Every structure is written in structure tokens, then in C-alpha cells.
Amino acid sequence: MTDTAPPVPSLWSGFIGIVRRDILLAWKRPGDVLNPLFFFAMVSTLFPLALGPSSEQLGSIGPGVIWVAALLAALLSLNSLFVSDFEDGSLDQLLLSPQPLTVLALGKAIGHWIVSGLPLVVISPLIAISFHMPDQSIKVMAVTLFFGTLSLSLFGSIGAALTVGLHRGTALLSLLILPLAMPVLIFGARTVSLSTSDDAVSAGIYFLAAYCMLALTLAPFATAAALRISNE
Amino acid sequence: MWKFFHKLASPPHFYQFAGKVVPWFAFTAIACIGYGGYAGLFVAPADYQQGDAFRIIYVHVPAAYLSMMGYSIMAISAGIGLIWRIKLSHAVTAAAAPLGAWFTFLALATGSIWGKPMWGTWWEWGDPRLTSELLLLFLYIGYMALRASIDDIAKADKASAVLALVGAVNVPIIHYSVEWWSSLHQGPTLVREGGPGMVSDMLYPLLAMILGFTFLFGALLLGRVRTEVLFRERRAKWVREMLLDDGGTT
Amino acid sequence: MMEVLSMGGYGSFVWSAYGLTIIVLAVCIIGGRMGHTKTINDVRRRIRTMEVKS
């Protein structure tokens, strides 16, 4: 150890460090990854059981049901985004770090998406098949969920940062996030159900991609501001 | 001009100034709403398509207009409060939220009552305006829920200001996406934009009602901001002097 | 008179919309005034107890 301060790592290494750390943590505690996934699968199973096995009906409600289940699963995992960091003090370290907090907030959101959003995208085809959805819709479903869950992780991180020290549980976070998540839900679910009847889907996908870009550029700033406020 | 605003931003001046302005706003509001309500109900001719049911427009449109105005006021004052750290603007944000939520509720309820004779249902998902209003109400509720769950006022101010700004970015997107969504059903709408023949007998009461509701909203908002300012400044010297000296109920 | 009140058959809708508007506005006005009075009384009581203590 020398007396001089160690050189500040680059932005990229700070960002990658956060992402890698969150993935590692999830690897050590697989429940954090698996619980939302099982939740997603089980909520999607509820609907065929509740509504009956008629394949036409399942095909028509499938897009909406899968999207709602994905939204709820994302919300479920968002609740714990900053909580463990807050409890063990690593959030304070993030706030003190020489890296801009915005980059670290982006890293947290991306890490959360890789751990909880991407697995949803990966298993969504299985659920889509079980809902008797046509082949082209399964692809559209995966693409819309890809952009949709990324936007949800980013916007959700704002809500998670605002509620981090509050001990009010999931209900408050849902109240904050759900209205903001409506455009994603509307475009995601409608685009998939348009694709089941071979309608044009590019408008919806472009919208979701644009919304995702907006979230990528704006949400980290809001998350960083919210983290500073919550930890004053 | 700038001097006036600087002075206004100081709590005691604002408190006195708003106290003087509120009665004038209230008076203007009563005059406008009185004329608009009377003319809208009894003077304006019945609509050629909707008959007398269209008279609900005179309460629905002003309420809907102010529900969005309320959110804009919230977002702007939240931004001012975050950037320039003016305490008064946080008080404005806090005061505007419940009022905006009430006006949103009013717009939803009157829209629903209007929808029953026109569409045959109390709620028509195909109407983008009503659906947007519902989501706006949810945004207000989320804002108030966050505010209510943080005990420290300064922290609640900043945290909810961030939420108000994020919500304000989303409002146009939500509105656009609801419109896209309902355009797939071709739903019916209540208010025809630039519709044929809003004759002046129909139009003037509407303008009067919008003006009257705006002044009423202004009066209610200023009143609530005064309450907020008083509570926030309860340890300040001017509050103590004011409350102990006059003994009245200003 | 009855003709005006019936509003061409839409009377119940028109009058309930206006009635609801009056109720909501009254709630806002009365709620605001009551909140203000309550805050004044609370703050005044708080100041009085502080004065007595000091």
C-alpha cells in the first residue's frame, strides 16, 4: 500500500464491476433469480386453470396474460434491488465512490435486468407455446419482452431507490411503478396480440425500443438523485 | 418584477400576499361559475346529437383540464424546488397533489355519468381520454402514497419531487400509448375536437366554466399552500408573532 | 319547470353530474378551510406550550 490515493478506475470498469458483482451475488443466492421465474410461470398457469383449456380462448388471452405475469414478476424482484445493499452498507460505499452515481445506478439496473429480466425472456417461449400461440408471435413475444423488461428494470430502479429505506414493502413500490409501466404493458401486449392475427408489429416494437432508449438515458439520473435523497 | 418574485418566495410575504389574493380568486370563480352554470344548464341550446346530456360538458371539461393543469403545476414546482431549492415550491407541489387528484376523480366520475346515456355503459375502455384520466389518477395516488410514507418533510419533498418529474415525462407517453391502443378498437369519444357548430351560446358558458374552475383551483391551491407554509414554518418567528398577536383566525 | 328539470329525458344524468361536482368542490373548499383552521390551532397550541415551558 502506498500513501498516494489509488487511481480512480475508469467509468467502464466501475459499471462492469457493479454488473459483475450483482450477477455473482445472484449466483450465490439462486433463489433471487429463480423465485421471480417460478412466480412468472405459476401466474401464467393460473389462467388456463381458471378459464378452462379451450385453445382458442388461451391463444387470444395469452399475450395479455404473459405480459401481466412478466410485469408482476419484475415488480416482485425490484423490491429487493437496493434493500440488501442498504442493509449491509454497500450502498453507502456506492454513494461515496469516485465514480458518478449515475453510472453505478445504470449498472445496478442492468445487473437486475440480466438476473431477473433476461431469464423471463428466455423462458417466455415455453409459456407462449403452452398458450397455443402461433410461431411468429413467440418471436415477437420474446422481442417485446426483451425491450419491455429492460425498460421496467430501469424505471423500476427509480421506484426502488425512492422507497429504499422505507420498510413499506411491495405495495408502495407497485403504486409508484405500475402507472409508469402502463405504456410498456400496452405496447408489449398489444403488439404480441396483433402478431397472432398476422398484423404489422413493427410500430409496437419500434415504440418499445424507443421507450427503452429513453429509459436508458433518463432513468439512471433519476435513480442516482433518488438514492442520494433516500440516504441523506 | 424580479424583486416582486423574490419577495413572494419568502414564506411570510407569500402568506400575507396569498391571503389577500384568495378572496378575489374566489369571487371571480363564483361569478364565472354562476354565469357558466346557469347559461350552460338553461340558456345553451340542446346538442343536435346528444340532446341535453351534452350539458355535462360544462363540468366535465373544466375538471379534466384542471386535472392535467394540476399535474403540470406539480411537475413544474417540483422541478423548481429540486433545482433552485426553493422551499415554497415544494409546498406548492405538496398542496397541488390532493387537489389535482380530486379534480381527476371529478373528471372521471362526470365522464362516466356522461358515458352512460351516450354509450350505454358507465365505462368504455375504448375512450382514450377517460382511460388516460384513470392512469393520471393512479399517478396522483402513487405520488401521495410516497409522500405519506416518508415522515421527514424535507426528504419527502425531494423524493416525491423526483417522482413527480419522472411521472411528468411519462404523462405524454401514457397518453399517446393509450390513444394508440384505443385506435385499434375505434372507440367513441365524448368530446368532438373542433366539432361542427359549437355555437356561441354553447361556447361562452364553457369558456366561463373553464375560467371559473381555474380561478377556483387557484384559490383552493393558494389556500392549501398557505396551510402548508404555516405548518412548515411553525417554528419561525413570524408565525409566532402573527398567531400570538392578532388572536384572529387568519 | 318540470320540462327544464327533466332535461329531455337525461335529467338524472345531468343533475347527478352537477350534484357530484358541487359535492366534490364543497369537499375541497371545506376540507381546505378545516385543514387551515386546524393547523392554526395546532401551531398556536404548540407555541403556547413552548412559551409556558420557557
Side-chain angles (χ1 to χ4, degrees):
Chain A
M1 279 285 148
T2 54
D3 287 342
T4 51
V8 176
S10 71
L11 288 182
W12 177 248
S13 67
F15 169 76
I16 283 296
I18 291 280
V19 175
R20 188 187 293 144
R21 169 176 165 276
D22 277 15
I23 295 173
L24 252 175
L25 280 175
W27 185 256
K28 299 264 157 98
R29 284 179 309 202
D32 287 4
V33 184
L34 293 176
N35 289 351
L37 261 187
F38 287 135
F39 178 83
F40 177 54
M42 283 180 196
V43 169
S44 322
T45 318
L46 292 179
F47 287 86
L49 291 178
L51 297 172
S54 133
S55 69
E56 272 168 45
Q57 200 182 14
L58 287 183
S60 67
I61 61 159
V65 166
I66 298 175
W67 255 97
V68 170
L71 184 60
L72 294 178
L75 262 183
L76 194 71
S77 59
L78 272 171
N79 201 35
S80 57
L81 180 58
F82 293 111
V83 168
S84 64
D85 288 348
F86 178 70
E87 282 166 353
D88 68 12
S90 41
L91 194 55
D92 294 329
Q93 299 298 318
L94 290 187
L95 288 165
L96 290 172
S97 87
Q99 307 276 354
L101 191 56
T102 309
V103 173
L104 304 179
L106 180 65
K108 284 295 287 181
I110 297 287
H112 172 266
W113 175 69
I114 291 175
V115 166
S116 69
L118 208 50
L120 293 188
V121 179
V122 172
I123 68 159
S124 68
L126 285 180
I127 295 173
I129 289 170
S130 78
F131 273 82
H132 305 288
M133 277 163 54
D135 289 348
Q136 76 275 11
S137 304
I138 294 174
K139 265 181 255 158
V140 175
M141 167 75 83
V143 173
T144 54
L145 274 179
F146 180 91
F147 289 121
T149 50
L150 186 52
S151 316
L152 284 177
S153 287
L154 286 158
F155 268 109
S157 65
I158 304 174
L162 285 172
T163 55
V164 67
L166 292 181
H167 308 293
R168 287 299 205 286
T170 331
L172 177 62
L173 181 63
S174 314
L175 281 182
L176 304 187
I177 297 303
L178 281 178
L180 303 178
M182 292 301 173
V184 177
L185 178 73
I186 289 172
F187 272 91
R190 289 299 300 180
T191 304
V192 180
S193 62
L194 281 179
S195 76
T196 56
S197 53
D198 278 324
D199 277 324
V201 294
S202 48
I205 291 176
Y206 288 150
F207 175 88
L208 283 169
Y211 192 76
C212 191
M213 291 305 128
L214 182 76
L216 271 173
T217 44
L218 293 185
F221 291 98
T223 308
L227 279 177
R228 283 195 207 287
I229 291 163
S230 301
N231 284 277
E232 261 170 13
Chain B
M1 186 70 178
W2 277 114
K3 216 174 166 187
F4 172 76
F5 278 115
H6 271 291
K7 228 177 156 187
L8 197 59
S10 93
H13 278 102
F14 173 83
Y15 191 86
Q16 299 299 342
F17 179 76
K20 281 183 201 133
V21 168
V22 165
W24 290 100
F25 273 32
F27 178 75
T28 318
I30 290 170
C32 289
I33 293 175
Y35 159 72
Y38 171 77
L41 280 172
F42 307 115
V43 178
D47 188 73
Y48 76 102
Q49 266 185 334
Q50 308 195 352
D52 283 311
F54 99 101
R55 295 182 199 281
I56 298 176
I57 201 176
Y58 296 117
V59 288
H60 174 72
V61 165
Y65 162 70
L66 280 166
S67 68
M68 289 170 207
M69 194 67 184
Y71 206 89
S72 320
I73 291 173
M74 251 175 73
I76 292 169
S77 58
I80 293 174
L82 272 187
I83 296 167
W84 288 291
R85 293 160 196 271
I86 298 172
K87 283 187 200 155
L88 183 64
S89 63
H90 282 308
V92 173
T93 319
L99 273 183
W102 272 114
F103 277 76
T104 314
F105 167 76
L106 186 61
L108 275 176
T110 52
S112 174
I113 293 172
W114 193 2
K116 180 65 179 164
M118 289 302 110
W119 301 324
T121 59
W122 294 105
W123 187 262
E124 169 61 53
W125 283 106
D127 181 56
R129 287 161 212 261
L130 271 188
T131 313
S132 302
E133 281 287 317
L134 182 65
L135 296 183
L136 187 63
L137 183 62
F138 290 163
L139 281 176
Y140 275 119
I141 289 173
Y143 175 89
M144 289 192 288
L146 179 66
R147 204 174 176 95
S149 59
I150 306 178
D151 297 326
D152 177 39
I153 288 188
K155 199 170 157 183
D157 277 342
K158 288 182 210 152
S160 53
V162 170
L163 184 69
L165 286 178
V166 174
V169 171
N170 262 274
V171 164
I173 302 176
I174 291 176
H175 187 75
Y176 168 70
S177 53
V178 170
E179 253 178 20
W180 177 80
W181 168 74
S182 65
S183 71
L184 301 172
H185 311 278
Q186 271 309 319
T189 47
L190 281 175
V191 186
R192 301 185 301 271
E193 267 167 292
M198 251 270 181
V199 293
S200 54
D201 275 353
M202 283 180 173
L203 186 62
Y204 290 149
L206 182 60
L207 295 180
M209 284 302 257
I210 290 177
L211 198 66
F213 268 59
T214 310
F215 272 104
L216 183 65
F217 190 90
L220 289 169
L221 181 66
L222 286 178
R224 291 189 81 106
V225 177
R226 288 182 87 214
T227 313
E228 281 281 334
V229 166
L230 193 64
F231 179 71
R232 285 155 187 248
E233 297 278 314
R234 60 192 181 276
R235 294 190 181 83
K237 203 174 149 208
W238 67 271
V239 171
R240 194 172 69 211
E241 282 168 359
M242 183 183 75
L243 289 185
L244 289 184
D245 283 358
D246 66 8
T249 50
T250 24
Chain C
M1 187 66 194
M2 283 314 288
E3 209 171 299
V4 171
L5 284 184
S6 81
M7 285 283 166
Y10 295 119
S12 56
F13 299 110
V14 172
W15 293 115
S16 59
Y18 277 76
L20 191 75
T21 306
I22 290 171
I23 291 172
V24 167
L25 295 184
V27 165
C28 286
I29 294 168
I30 295 168
R33 288 208 69 94
M34 275 170 58
H36 196 68
T37 319
K38 186 176 174 296
T39 308
I40 285 183
N41 289 336
D42 287 354
V43 171
R44 184 177 282 145
R45 195 177 309 124
R46 192 181 158 281
I47 293 171
R48 292 247 163 88
T49 47
M50 298 279 277
E51 303 255 304
V52 170
K53 270 181 199 162
S54 63

PDB file of all heavy atoms in Angstrom, chain B residues 9 16 56 78 91 159 162 239 244:
ATOM      1  N   ALA B   9     -41.270  34.704  -2.763  1.00  0.00           N
ATOM      2  CA  ALA B   9     -40.776  33.379  -2.386  1.00  0.00           C
ATOM      3  C   ALA B   9     -40.489  33.281  -0.897  1.00  0.00           C
ATOM      4  O   ALA B   9     -40.289  32.189  -0.391  1.00  0.00           O
ATOM      5  CB  ALA B   9     -39.517  33.044  -3.180  1.00  0.00           C
ATOM      6  N   GLN B  16     -48.983  36.410   3.519  1.00  0.00           N
ATOM      7  CA  GLN B  16     -49.834  37.608   3.530  1.00  0.00           C
ATOM      8  C   GLN B  16     -50.438  37.859   2.148  1.00  0.00           C
ATOM      9  O   GLN B  16     -51.631  38.100   2.011  1.00  0.00           O
ATOM     10  CB  GLN B  16     -49.007  38.832   3.956  1.00  0.00           C
ATOM     11  CG  GLN B  16     -48.401  38.729   5.346  1.00  0.00           C
ATOM     12  CD  GLN B  16     -49.453  38.576   6.430  1.00  0.00           C
ATOM     13  OE1 GLN B  16     -50.622  38.868   6.204  1.00  0.00           O
ATOM     14  NE2 GLN B  16     -49.040  38.100   7.594  1.00  0.00           N
ATOM     15  N   ILE B  56     -73.396  18.083 -19.580  1.00  0.00           N
ATOM     16  CA  ILE B  56     -72.383  17.612 -18.633  1.00  0.00           C
ATOM     17  C   ILE B  56     -71.007  18.138 -19.024  1.00  0.00           C
ATOM     18  O   ILE B  56     -70.111  18.234 -18.196  1.00  0.00           O
ATOM     19  CB  ILE B  56     -72.411  16.065 -18.564  1.00  0.00           C
ATOM     20  CG1 ILE B  56     -73.773  15.606 -18.048  1.00  0.00           C
ATOM     21  CG2 ILE B  56     -71.327  15.510 -17.661  1.00  0.00           C
ATOM     22  CD1 ILE B  56     -73.958  14.118 -18.020  1.00  0.00           C
ATOM     23  N   ALA B  78     -42.132  21.057  -8.664  1.00  0.00           N
ATOM     24  CA  ALA B  78     -41.183  20.053  -8.177  1.00  0.00           C
ATOM     25  C   ALA B  78     -39.807  20.310  -8.783  1.00  0.00           C
ATOM     26  O   ALA B  78     -38.784  20.252  -8.087  1.00  0.00           O
ATOM     27  CB  ALA B  78     -41.659  18.652  -8.534  1.00  0.00           C
ATOM     28  N   ALA B  91     -43.801  23.315  -1.172  1.00  0.00           N
ATOM     29  CA  ALA B  91     -45.124  23.427  -0.552  1.00  0.00           C
ATOM     30  C   ALA B  91     -46.210  23.439  -1.622  1.00  0.00           C
ATOM     31  O   ALA B  91     -47.272  22.838  -1.447  1.00  0.00           O
ATOM     32  CB  ALA B  91     -45.198  24.696   0.297  1.00  0.00           C
ATOM     33  N   ALA B 159     -37.875  13.473  -2.478  1.00  0.00           N
ATOM     34  CA  ALA B 159     -38.173  12.167  -3.082  1.00  0.00           C
ATOM     35  C   ALA B 159     -39.411  12.257  -3.957  1.00  0.00           C
ATOM     36  O   ALA B 159     -39.420  11.783  -5.099  1.00  0.00           O
ATOM     37  CB  ALA B 159     -38.367  11.127  -1.989  1.00  0.00           C
ATOM     38  N   VAL B 162     -38.810  14.043  -7.270  1.00  0.00           N
ATOM     39  CA  VAL B 162     -38.227  13.188  -8.315  1.00  0.00           C
ATOM     40  C   VAL B 162     -39.326  12.370  -8.983  1.00  0.00           C
ATOM     41  O   VAL B 162     -39.417  12.278 -10.207  1.00  0.00           O
ATOM     42  CB  VAL B 162     -37.158  12.257  -7.710  1.00  0.00           C
ATOM     43  CG1 VAL B 162     -36.724  11.212  -8.722  1.00  0.00           C
ATOM     44  CG2 VAL B 162     -35.945  13.053  -7.257  1.00  0.00           C
ATOM     45  N   VAL B 239     -44.383  33.382  12.407  1.00  0.00           N
ATOM     46  CA  VAL B 239     -45.608  32.643  12.698  1.00  0.00           C
ATOM     47  C   VAL B 239     -46.021  32.891  14.143  1.00  0.00           C
ATOM     48  O   VAL B 239     -47.190  33.128  14.454  1.00  0.00           O
ATOM     49  CB  VAL B 239     -45.404  31.143  12.434  1.00  0.00           C
ATOM     50  CG1 VAL B 239     -46.582  30.352  12.933  1.00  0.00           C
ATOM     51  CG2 VAL B 239     -45.174  30.886  10.962  1.00  0.00           C
ATOM     52  N   LEU B 244     -49.755  34.930  17.914  1.00  0.00           N
ATOM     53  CA  LEU B 244     -49.962  35.396  19.285  1.00  0.00           C
ATOM     54  C   LEU B 244     -50.534  36.809  19.308  1.00  0.00           C
ATOM     55  O   LEU B 244     -51.294  37.154  20.200  1.00  0.00           O
ATOM     56  CB  LEU B 244     -48.641  35.363  20.062  1.00  0.00           C
ATOM     57  CG  LEU B 244     -48.169  33.950  20.387  1.00  0.00           C
ATOM     58  CD1 LEU B 244     -46.917  33.998  21.236  1.00  0.00           C
ATOM     59  CD2 LEU B 244     -49.252  33.155  21.082  1.00  0.00           C
TER      60      LEU B 244
END
